[in-house]
């Protein structure tokens, strides 16, 4: 009995469809490319439920005749190529003749098409690759495809699809890439009845890039004029070096009007930014390349997003030179626009607590400052109007650090800073400096300004007598910590401490990052802060879909955000120890982690926690007081789990006294 047998045509079509049609965005890409090849100037994409249940692509191209419409759905039927020589110089986006056959094999398709100048059009209805209706119909000039119930006959492929808004984000990315590659065409995308994207057309690449990148990213773009080198033309828009991105999501490359992914062009673009962009950040922009059709092969991948160049060195040199010239021709200086000064308003009457906590009205002199008589008096509220006096007073005032969670992370430091008469219980999870006790604020003496007379009797009466602390009955709240004394820091990055055994070096960023990482993993009460003004984060279509898909995991880390605009989110609450300036980068990196579908869900949550803890930890190179370094040192040496950062780098390095003596030849070798 024969073991090898030939598959029927329907089964062969289902297998072939799996290579071309992977998700709704694959269908959209193939049909939009056909519309562009048909000479359309207006293309509309409408989808519902992520394009799985309903997807409509309408164009005003040349259309198809009643005789050609049924033939177009056969395998290997195309009007793009005819001879073997045509494969050596493919100038159209589509050429294989497999897209329509693959799409109709796994969905229900309705086609309405009409050629220019014809009285009536043609309507075809197909289901599972078979034509069920072929009749004349009244329709506008051009072609309209309606795809319903994608993968209705292949449930194995259906279960691998993502959520609706995730698939819709992929479809939106296809439309955006098409709008950039063909700015002369007007594109419109409608998702669940809402207009989410619109490109004006008209041939202006600047308008198309603005529609895709948005206002915030577009204001940091510089134009890259057309540059030709060795027959390769390069033009577009690239970002300024001072405004990089945390990932390569917005690096869009186009070759002969086709969106591609190329490590060669990516390397050439980033090489032009060498020594002018921060390490670990990436430029973004839209880079368009045009070269002879015979010098590029697009028939190397089913999705046609990968190409091969005949002369890779020439392409690399052309892209590098164009980007380098654009960067050299721009000043690359960030623009800082000062807000217009508001009219001075009447100063409100200060309360007692505000008077106590305000800056005293004292005149401070600097060597380079004017004379005391020339220094104007400060306005009400204790704010000095002279810049030099204000800077001197700011330096003389006690410094209060920002969000440094390790300042008071143990109960011993909190007990030392507490008033003697307080009986407040120690907190379980304290990441901030202790608040000013209410009794202390009410009983503090009133500070008078320079133009008022201070009465000593009233000041003494307002200060209550403080009982002497009983040192004998005080009990330590925490066990004794390792006896290591901080003696200084090195390069504002490493803490130097000594104990009985030798010298200890601590990486303060790695240590603080590991401490935050452990606290977040323990699911403790994460302190959050409500932002005065929501931080709007612009994302790509894929990033936006990934954030919405993983919103529950993001909220568990202390973020409160909501959709805002086309594909942006507004962050209203964030972890209290995360600086507001780090929120956009943190959200963008979390979106990248959520997009990594290869990582299991528990590991993906650890990646999100790692991202937040890395951004919230104290940065290497920042100044830290001796008290803060001592507190961090005690916590590191007392916690056996703080041995390495989430990246795997060591937190502490020990240099014993014997090793030091050996270096200085104080002991025998």
């Amino acid at each position: 009995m024969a073991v090898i047998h030939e598959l029927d045509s329907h089964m062969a079509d289902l297998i072939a469809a799996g290579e071309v049609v992977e998700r709704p965005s694959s269908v959209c890409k193939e049909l939009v490319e056909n519309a562009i090849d048909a000479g359309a100037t207006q293309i509309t994409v409408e989808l519902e439920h992520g394009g799985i249940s309903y997807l409509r692509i309408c164009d005003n191209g040349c259309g198809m005749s009643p005789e050609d419409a049924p033939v177009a759905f056969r395998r290997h039927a195309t009007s793009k190529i005819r001879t073997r020589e045509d494969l050596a110089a493919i100038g159209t986006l589509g050429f294989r003749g497999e897209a329509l056959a693959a799409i109709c094999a796994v969905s229900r398709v309705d086609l309405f098409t009409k050629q220019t100048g014809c009285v009536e059009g043609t309507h075809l209805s197909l289901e599972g690759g078979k034509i069920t209706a072929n009749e004349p119909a009244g329709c506008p000039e051009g072609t309209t495809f309606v795809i319903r119930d994608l993968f209705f006959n292949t449930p194995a492929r259906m279960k691998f699809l993502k959520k609706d808004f995730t698939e819709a984000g992929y479809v939106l990315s296809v439309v955006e890439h098409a709008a950039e590659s063909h700015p002369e065409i007007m594109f419109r995308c409608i998702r669940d009845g809402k207009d989410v994207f619109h490109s004006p057309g008209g041939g202006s690449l600047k308008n198309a890039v603005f529609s895709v990148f948005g206002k915030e990213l577009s204001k940091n773009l510089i134009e890259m004029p057309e540059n030709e080198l060795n027959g390769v033309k390069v033009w577009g828009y690239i970002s300024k070096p001072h405004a990089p991105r945390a990932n390569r999501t917005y690096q869009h490359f186009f070759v002969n009007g086709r969106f591609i992914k190329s490590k060669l062009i990516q390397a050439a673009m980033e090489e032009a930014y060498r020594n002018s962009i921060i390490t670990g950040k990436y430029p973004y922009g839209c880079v368009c390349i045009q070269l002879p059709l015979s010098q590029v092969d697009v028939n190397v991948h089913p999705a046609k997003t990968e190409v091969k160049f005949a002369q890779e060195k020439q392409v690399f040199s052309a892209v590098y030179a164009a980007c380098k010239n654009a960067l050299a021709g721009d000043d690359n200086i960030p623009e800082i626009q000062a807000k217009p000064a508001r009219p001075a308003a009447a100063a409100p009457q200060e309360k007692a607590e505000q008077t106590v906590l305000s800056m005293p009205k004292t005149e401070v002199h600097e060597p380079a400052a004017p004379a005391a008589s020339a220094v104007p008096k400060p306005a009400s509220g204790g704010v000095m109007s002279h810049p030099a006096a204000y800077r001197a007073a700011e330096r003389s005032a006690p410094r209060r650090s920002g969000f440094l969670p390790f300042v008071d992370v143990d109960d011993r430091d909190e007990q030392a800073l507490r008033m003697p008469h307080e009986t407040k219980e120690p907190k379980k999870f304290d990441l901030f400096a202790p608040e000013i006790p209410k009794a202390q604020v009410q009983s503090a003496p009133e500070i008078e300004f320079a133009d008022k007379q201070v009465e000593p009797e009233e000041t003494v009466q307002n200060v209550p007598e403080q009982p002497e602390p009983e040192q004998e009955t005080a009990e330590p709240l925490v066990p004794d910590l390792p006896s290591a004394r901080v003696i200084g820091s090195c390069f504002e990055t490493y803490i130097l401490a000594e104990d009985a055994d030798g010298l200890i070096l601590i990486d303060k960023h790695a240590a603080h990052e590991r401490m935050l990482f452990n606290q977040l993993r323990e699911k403790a009460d994460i302190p959050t802060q409500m932002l005065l003004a929501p931080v709007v984060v612009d994302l790509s279509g894929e990033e936006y879909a990934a954030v919405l898909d993983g919103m529950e995991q993001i909220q568990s880390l202390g973020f409160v955000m909501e959709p805002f605009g086309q594909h942006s989110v507004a962050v209203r609450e964030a972890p209290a120890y995360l600086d507001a300036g780090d929120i956009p980068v943190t959200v963008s990196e979390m979106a990248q982690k959520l997009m990594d579908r290869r990582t299991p869900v528990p590991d993906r949550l650890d990646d999100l926690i790692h991202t937040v803890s890395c951004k919230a930890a104290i940065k290497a190179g920042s100044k830290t007081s001796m008290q803060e370094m001592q507190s961090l040192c005690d916590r590191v040496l007392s916690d056996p789990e703080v041995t390495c950062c989430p990246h795997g780098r060591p937190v502490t390095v020990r240099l014993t006294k014997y090793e030091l003596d050996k270096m200085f030849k104080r002991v025998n070798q």
Side-chain angles (χ1 to χ4, degrees):
M1 183 177 180
V3 178
I4 300 176
H5 61 279
E6 185 178 0
L7 296 176
D8 58 76
S9 59
H10 180 64
M11 183 62 66
D13 290 341
L14 292 179
I15 296 175
E19 299 180 358
V20 180
V21 182
E22 182 182 0
R23 53 181 8 110
S25 61
S26 304
V27 178
C28 179
K29 177 179 179 296
E30 297 292 343
L31 297 181
V32 167
E33 288 180 351
N34 287 342
I36 295 174
D37 291 337
T41 59
Q42 297 180 4
I43 300 177
T44 301
V45 177
E46 184 179 0
L47 65 153
E48 296 179 0
H49 302 98
I52 302 174
S53 62
Y54 180 83
L55 178 64
R56 181 176 70 92
I57 290 89
C58 179
D59 67 75
N60 62 345
C62 62
M64 290 182 285
S65 64
E67 296 78 19
D68 290 338
V71 181
F73 290 93
R74 299 176 186 175
R75 294 190 62 190
H76 310 300
T78 180
S79 61
K80 313 297 174 61
I81 58 176
R82 293 185 178 276
T83 63
R84 181 171 51 187
E85 288 73 15
D86 294 337
L87 290 176
I90 299 176
T92 56
L93 299 179
F95 54 89
R96 292 174 180 158
E98 296 180 345
L100 294 182
I103 293 171
C104 68
V106 293
S107 62
R108 298 182 174 94
V109 180
D110 283 306
L111 168 67
F112 298 89
T113 182
K114 177 184 175 182
Q115 287 184 320
T116 304
C118 294
V119 178
E120 61 182 12
T122 304
H123 168 230
L124 265 70
S125 181
L126 301 94
E127 181 175 347
K130 298 181 179 179
I131 298 177
T132 59
N134 186 355
E135 57 188 4
C139 57
E141 294 181 355
T143 304
T144 299
F145 281 94
V146 180
I147 314 299
R148 295 185 176 90
D149 303 329
L150 186 63
F151 300 129
F152 76 99
N153 54 355
T154 53
R157 178 56 61 89
M158 174 70 74
K159 66 180 181 180
F160 287 101
L161 296 179
K162 308 302 178 185
K163 294 183 179 180
D164 292 348
F165 44 77
T166 304
E167 298 296 340
Y170 295 143
V171 174
L172 179 60
S173 296
V174 170
V175 179
E176 291 177 345
H177 296 158
E180 290 179 286
S181 61
H182 293 82
E184 72 279 2
I185 302 177
M186 185 185 71
F187 286 88
R188 184 185 179 192
C189 184
I190 304 173
R191 181 178 61 196
D192 297 328
K194 297 181 180 179
D195 198 341
V196 296
F197 178 79
H198 178 76
S199 177
S204 175
L205 179 60
K206 181 178 181 180
N207 294 338
V209 170
F210 183 86
S211 301
V212 175
F213 285 74
K215 178 181 178 181
E216 293 298 325
L217 295 180
S218 298
K219 68 181 182 181
N220 290 317
L221 290 175
I222 57 178
E223 184 179 3
M224 183 168 56
E226 183 175 315
N227 182 81
E228 184 174 358
L229 182 65
N230 299 324
V232 181
K233 296 181 180 180
V234 182
W235 71 94
Y237 288 87
I238 57 177
S239 62
K240 296 184 178 181
H242 67 81
R245 295 276 296 176
N247 48 64
R248 298 185 176 95
T249 305
Y250 279 98
Q251 291 184 359
H252 297 169
F253 306 131
F254 303 92
V255 173
N256 293 340
R258 183 190 305 274
F259 172 75
I260 66 167
K261 298 178 181 179
S262 173
K263 293 185 178 180
L264 176 71
I265 303 177
Q266 171 187 304
M269 179 182 180
E270 295 180 359
E271 183 67 22
Y273 284 83
R274 180 182 291 273
N275 300 327
S276 62
I277 196 171
I278 187 173
T279 304
K281 302 295 182 179
Y282 307 97
Y284 63 92
C286 172
V287 179
C288 301
I289 304 173
Q290 183 179 359
L291 69 164
L293 300 179
S294 58
Q295 297 296 315
V296 57
D297 185 8
V298 299
N299 191 21
V300 296
H301 192 272
K304 294 176 287 188
T305 56
E306 297 180 6
V307 298
K308 287 185 177 181
F309 298 104
Q311 301 291 337
E312 293 186 349
K313 186 176 181 180
Q314 295 180 0
V315 176
F316 183 95
S317 301
V319 174
Y320 174 81
C323 295
K324 199 70 174 179
N325 293 337
L327 293 175
D330 190 82
D331 54 6
N332 298 323
I333 299 177
E335 295 182 2
I336 302 178
Q337 298 179 355
K339 295 183 179 179
R342 296 183 179 179
Q349 188 67 24
E350 291 183 339
K351 298 181 181 180
E353 293 82 356
Q354 295 175 340
T355 305
V356 171
L357 299 177
S358 62
M359 183 180 294
K361 285 189 175 181
T362 57
E363 296 182 356
V364 183
H365 305 282
E366 284 188 346
S373 59
V375 179
K377 290 185 178 182
S380 69
V383 180
M384 299 184 178
S385 58
H386 195 273
Y390 179 81
R391 290 194 298 268
E394 188 179 22
R395 288 196 297 267
S396 62
R399 176 179 177 271
R400 182 175 180 180
S401 60
F403 293 116
L404 298 179
F406 58 79
V407 177
D408 298 295
V409 289
D410 55 41
D411 297 326
R412 184 188 66 175
D413 294 336
E414 185 179 358
Q415 178 70 13
L417 295 174
R418 198 176 297 156
M419 296 296 292
H421 62 280
E422 284 186 50
T423 57
K424 185 178 179 181
E425 292 295 329
K427 295 181 181 178
K428 277 173 128 187
F429 190 82
D430 189 4
L431 291 179
F432 300 96
E435 300 177 356
I436 299 178
K438 187 175 182 181
Q440 180 184 356
V441 175
Q442 294 178 352
S443 61
E446 182 176 358
I447 299 177
E448 299 292 340
F449 296 106
D451 55 347
K452 294 185 180 180
Q453 195 71 21
V454 179
E455 299 181 3
E457 292 84 7
E458 295 180 2
T459 304
V460 175
Q461 291 176 2
N462 290 335
V463 180
E465 296 182 359
Q466 302 293 344
E468 294 294 333
E470 298 180 1
Q471 301 294 339
E472 294 79 12
T473 60
E475 296 181 359
L477 299 178
V478 294
D480 294 336
L481 297 174
S483 56
R485 182 176 65 91
V486 174
I487 58 178
S489 64
C490 180
F491 308 117
E492 297 293 347
T493 303
Y494 306 102
I495 301 174
L496 303 180
E498 65 172 352
D499 59 2
D501 297 330
L503 187 66
I504 304 173
L505 285 80
I506 301 175
D507 187 337
K508 59 183 180 182
H509 172 76
H512 193 200
E513 180 182 356
R514 186 68 194 193
M515 290 163 56
L516 293 177
F517 182 80
N518 293 343
Q519 291 174 354
L520 291 174
R521 291 188 66 184
E522 291 174 359
K523 299 294 183 181
D525 294 333
I526 301 175
T528 61
Q529 62 177 351
M530 182 176 293
L531 304 177
L532 294 178
V535 177
V536 179
V537 183
D538 296 325
L539 304 170
S540 65
E542 295 91 339
E543 291 177 338
Y544 179 75
V547 168
L548 294 183
D549 191 10
M551 186 65 70
E552 183 178 354
Q553 296 176 344
I554 295 177
Q555 290 178 349
S556 65
L557 302 179
F559 289 90
V560 175
M561 63 180 66
E562 59 186 16
F564 187 83
Q566 180 179 340
H567 39 71
S568 304
V569 292
V571 182
R572 301 191 179 276
E573 292 186 24
Y577 43 79
L578 186 64
D579 188 71
D582 294 331
I583 291 178
V585 179
T586 304
V587 174
S588 180
E589 290 190 7
M590 288 193 299
Q592 289 292 319
K593 298 293 179 63
L594 291 171
M595 289 172 57
D596 187 5
R597 302 295 177 181
R598 296 172 297 179
T599 306
V601 176
D603 294 339
R604 198 179 305 151
L605 181 58
D606 282 351
D607 289 343
L608 298 181
I609 296 174
H610 178 200
T611 300
V612 176
S613 60
C614 182
K615 297 302 178 184
I618 184 174
K619 305 299 186 293
S622 59
K623 293 185 178 181
T624 313
S625 65
M626 291 294 293
Q627 179 187 2
E628 294 168 344
M629 290 191 293
Q630 184 65 56
S631 177
L632 179 61
C633 177
D634 294 342
R635 286 300 300 268
V636 169
L637 299 181
S638 64
D639 192 347
E641 295 184 359
V642 184
T643 57
C644 62
C645 75
H647 293 94
R649 296 193 300 264
V651 170
T652 60
V653 174
R654 179 178 291 273
L655 192 61
T656 63
K657 184 177 182 300
Y658 176 79
E659 292 173 340
L660 287 172
D661 292 340
K662 190 176 180 180
M663 292 179 184
F664 287 97
K665 310 297 182 181
R666 300 179 65 91
V667 296
N668 296 328
Q669 297 294 330

